[in-house]
Amino acid sequence: MTLKTKCSECDNPVDLILILDHSESILEDEWDQVKDFANSVVDRFNVRGDSGAYIAIIQFATRAELSMCLTGSTCALRKGIETSADVGGTTNIYSGLELSQTEFNEHGRTGDEHQKLVVLITDGADNTNTDEKLKGIADDLKDDDVKIYCIGVKTTDTNKDRMFGTFELIASDPFDEHVEYVEEGYSGLGGVLSDIINNECVEFSASSCPGALIVLSLLLLLLISNMVPLFKIRPETRRYTYYAHYVTCFFLTLVFILVCALTASNNSKTQYKLCVAIIVFTVLGIVTSIVSIAILWKQHRDMTPPKGLSKAGLATFEHGGQTPSGMKAFRTEETKVDVPYDDLKEHLDGRLMHEEEEN
């Protein structure tokens, strides 16, 4: 299971059924720890009538028995948890799942706001039913939008491979988020409850993502600032600058779409993923904007004439080294005059011949 953020309690109005293994392999002190876990579920899922969670308790071994139907009464649930059912000695997980389906159908609340959860706790694999039968009842529950969590507890008799083989048939997807193996034994169940709460009950909204929206505003400013010099770009750099702008615009459009999706979504997990995507693509957009600005700044420096040029030299600079009359301009610190290229070449050739004759 993936822990996304810290959360101590769940205020969501979920319908949750605990399916507890009470087969002969469960020792008395281990069963007490299972009951402590069940009481913690009642406490942390805020059972408070219709506005809170409804919880049911099922015990199973050779057969399954309903210790308490789905209810929002804390007192009734405490009484059901303390009830020890005589359910035989084998591990018939199928019977627990089948009874949970019946309980959801008879006492489960309707409406999208009431999420349905099954939490199965066992120290072994189903040793009574076929794989097809197990998978069939699990698929029926999932078709009714029931999420199935499987918690395997390590004991001296536990065969982890066989247990996980059963879990692969019945657990919801993704497998890693809905399956837990407690190495510490029944004493480690408390940590598993925190994982379930954080998976199902963390509220997340667009207001929880102000950093991404601020960065998005910065990206907009960078894009606008880059649009000004687009029509003064040299041909040799125009292609690269346009590419950088196109990529920036792509990321901006993608971020805009993600922000719209974030605002429209009511699912906390989806909102969390969208917010992460917004931050990632916003950063990528800023990087491409910086690249574009760097290209433009370098071009700006290259296109800025140095101080002290004469009018002819300035004309030469603006024409990439060619004067309008087809001459090259040369500036000397001593004379600060511009002379035709051919005259200067003839003068220099003459001086060179004169020096060779003297030597």
Side-chain angles (χ1 to χ4, degrees):
M1 297 178 188
T2 303
L3 188 64
K4 293 180 175 62
T5 183
K6 296 291 183 183
C7 183
S8 59
E9 293 184 342
C10 180
D11 291 322
N12 295 4
V14 300
D15 285 358
L16 186 155
I17 297 181
L18 290 173
I19 303 179
L20 309 177
D21 185 350
H22 199 186
S23 58
E24 60 184 6
S25 62
I26 311 297
L27 303 178
E28 184 176 349
D29 61 328
E30 292 173 338
W31 180 246
D32 288 339
Q33 291 171 336
V34 172
K35 292 192 292 184
D36 289 341
F37 173 81
N39 280 307
S40 296
V41 170
V42 174
D43 292 335
R44 296 179 65 179
F45 271 84
N46 288 338
V47 177
R48 58 174 187 274
D50 291 339
S51 62
Y54 271 28
I55 297 177
I57 310 294
I58 292 176
Q59 300 178 37
F60 76 93
T62 302
R63 64 182 182 279
E65 183 173 305
L66 186 66
S67 300
M68 180 53 59
C69 63
L70 279 167
T71 179
S73 169
T74 302
C75 293
L77 285 168
R78 304 286 188 205
K79 182 178 179 180
I81 291 169
E82 292 302 320
T83 301
S84 294
D86 182 12
V87 287
T90 60
T91 305
N92 185 357
I93 294 175
Y94 173 87
S95 64
L97 294 174
E98 184 181 40
L99 185 55
S100 70
Q101 184 182 41
T102 301
E103 182 60 17
F104 278 128
N105 290 336
E106 293 181 356
H107 299 109
R109 293 174 291 181
T110 58
D112 294 337
E113 70 276 12
H114 298 117
Q115 184 162 354
K116 300 175 182 179
L117 304 177
V118 163
V119 178
L120 167 69
I121 301 177
T122 182
D123 65 351
D126 187 295
N127 55 19
T128 306
N129 302 279
T130 63
D131 290 351
E132 290 77 11
K133 195 173 180 180
L134 275 172
K135 189 176 186 304
I137 187 63
D139 288 344
D140 288 343
L141 285 166
K142 294 171 191 176
D143 289 342
D144 292 333
D145 296 324
V146 178
K147 283 189 178 182
I148 303 176
Y149 284 87
C150 297
I151 303 172
V153 183
K154 182 180 180 180
T155 63
T156 54
D157 298 327
T158 299
N159 186 321
K160 183 178 178 180
D161 291 337
R162 287 191 59 210
M163 180 192 295
F164 270 58
T166 297
F167 290 170
E168 287 176 355
L169 297 172
I170 62 178
S172 296
D173 294 324
F175 184 81
D176 291 342
E177 288 188 8
H178 295 86
V179 172
E180 186 82 35
Y181 185 65
V182 186
E183 295 277 357
E184 303 89 342
Y186 285 94
S187 61
L189 287 174
V192 175
L193 177 57
S194 297
D195 284 350
I196 295 174
I197 289 176
N198 280 283
N199 275 337
E200 298 300 333
C201 306
V202 174
E203 295 295 335
F204 194 92
S205 63
S207 60
S208 304
C209 197
L213 301 179
I214 292 173
V215 175
L216 174 61
S217 300
L218 178 60
L219 178 60
L220 282 168
L221 292 175
L222 288 172
L223 182 64
I224 293 171
S225 67
N226 285 348
M227 296 298 292
V228 176
L230 278 178
F231 298 101
K232 299 179 180 179
I233 300 174
R234 281 185 173 178
E236 60 269 23
T237 59
R238 181 176 293 126
R239 181 177 60 178
Y240 304 106
T241 307
Y242 281 164
Y243 284 166
H245 277 284
Y246 293 153
V247 174
T248 301
C249 291
F250 168 76
F251 284 128
L252 176 63
T253 304
L254 190 58
V255 168
F256 178 76
I257 294 172
L258 291 173
V259 169
C260 292
L262 176 64
T263 305
S265 175
N266 294 320
N267 184 282
S268 60
K269 288 186 178 181
T270 302
Q271 289 176 332
Y272 176 86
K273 293 175 182 178
L274 287 171
C275 189
V276 172
I278 288 172
I279 294 174
V280 170
F281 287 116
T282 300
V283 170
L284 291 174
I286 290 177
V287 170
T288 55
S289 291
I290 292 173
V291 171
S292 179
I293 290 175
I295 294 174
L296 291 171
W297 177 250
K298 183 179 184 303
Q299 172 194 286
H300 174 73
R301 290 202 313 170
D302 293 343
M303 293 179 66
T304 303
K307 296 180 180 179
L309 281 183
S310 63
K311 290 184 178 180
L314 183 59
T316 302
F317 182 89
E318 291 177 348
H319 287 79
Q322 291 291 330
T323 63
S325 59
M327 297 183 297
K328 284 194 177 289
F330 294 89
R331 173 182 176 275
T332 63
E333 292 297 332
E334 294 77 17
T335 61
K336 294 185 179 180
V337 295
D338 297 290
V339 297
Y341 176 81
D342 293 336
D343 293 348
L344 180 63
K345 185 176 184 299
E346 183 179 349
H347 174 69
L348 293 176
D349 290 343
R351 288 190 58 182
L352 182 59
M353 293 176 60
H354 179 70
E355 289 174 0
E356 288 177 353
E357 289 175 357
E358 287 182 349
N359 295 332

